[in-house]
């Protein structure tokens, strides 16, 4: 569990790009570092612009809302690391890590500057900016635990 913010984790990522991927990625990660950063960038971007697909409203109001509350209370999340975002473009395994990291930093800046209501999360439903910031930091930390323990 990490109490680092999304911005702090992004700054740490920039400093840690030279470290071996295995030191950053979660054990058993199905994706390389570039794909992982692309995936994390997608969800941060979509929280400001809208996700391609949503789970049914009943799911978002029940199981999804419960998962969000549990994650926020615990300060950590647990989800399948290979779960792609429904309707999102495929992750490019050949995209250079530096490009993926720059893209991630760009969407964190987009998110940080976002004002107004955020798009509903596919599973959790409506989230405040603070909830999304915390959830995105937890999501990044789950995929890249090496950032939190550097």
């Amino acid at each position: 569990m990490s109490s680092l913010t999304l911005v702090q984790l992004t700054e740490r990522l920039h400093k840690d790009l030279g470290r071996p991927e295995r030191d950053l990625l979660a054990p058993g990660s199905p994706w390389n570092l570039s794909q992982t950063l692309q995936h994390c960038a997608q969800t941060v971007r979509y929280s400001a612009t809208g996700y391609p697909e949503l789970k049914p409203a009943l799911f978002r109001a029940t199981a999804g809302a419960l998962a969000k509350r549990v994650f926020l209370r615990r300060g950590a999340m647990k989800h399948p690391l290979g779960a792609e975002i429904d309707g999102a473009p495929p992750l490019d395994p050949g995209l250079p890590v530096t490009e993926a990291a720059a893209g991630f930093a760009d969407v964190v800046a987009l998110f940080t500057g976002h004002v107004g209501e955020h798009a509903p999360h596919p599973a959790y439903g409506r989230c405040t900016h603070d909830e999304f910031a915390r959830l995105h930091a937890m999501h990044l930390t789950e995929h890249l635990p090496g950032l939190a323990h550097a």
Side-chain angles (χ1 to χ4, degrees):
M1 177 163 51
S2 170
S3 59
L4 295 173
T5 68
L6 182 61
V7 171
Q8 290 169 325
L9 288 165
T10 304
E11 290 168 355
R12 189 170 279 188
L13 171 67
H14 179 70
K15 292 176 187 172
D16 288 354
L17 278 182
R19 290 174 56 199
E21 286 192 15
R22 70 182 175 278
D23 291 351
L24 296 171
L25 289 168
S29 178
W31 298 324
N32 66 31
L33 182 56
S34 176
Q35 290 168 296
T36 300
L37 291 170
Q38 292 169 60
H39 167 74
C40 291
Q42 286 175 336
T43 194
V44 172
R45 179 183 309 107
Y46 292 147
S47 68
T49 64
Y51 288 84
E53 295 178 20
L54 299 176
K55 302 274 186 216
L58 181 60
F59 180 89
R60 292 190 314 262
T62 56
L66 175 62
K68 176 179 86 169
R69 285 193 306 273
V70 168
F71 294 158
L72 289 170
R73 190 174 322 117
R74 280 193 330 202
M77 70 170 48
K78 187 75 174 158
H79 77 296
L81 294 177
E84 296 186 30
I85 298 168
D86 292 337
L91 306 172
D92 179 359
L95 183 72
V97 171
T98 54
E99 286 184 40
F104 181 76
D106 288 347
V107 299
V108 169
L110 170 74
F111 172 81
T112 302
H114 184 78
V115 293
E117 194 169 348
H118 284 276
H121 185 275
Y124 311 145
R126 290 279 171 205
C127 297
T128 66
H129 184 82
D130 179 64
E131 288 172 334
F132 259 132
R134 292 169 57 206
L135 290 163
H136 289 322
M138 288 181 236
H139 184 237
L140 184 61
T141 300
E142 185 179 5
H143 280 283
L144 299 173
L147 288 179
H149 303 294

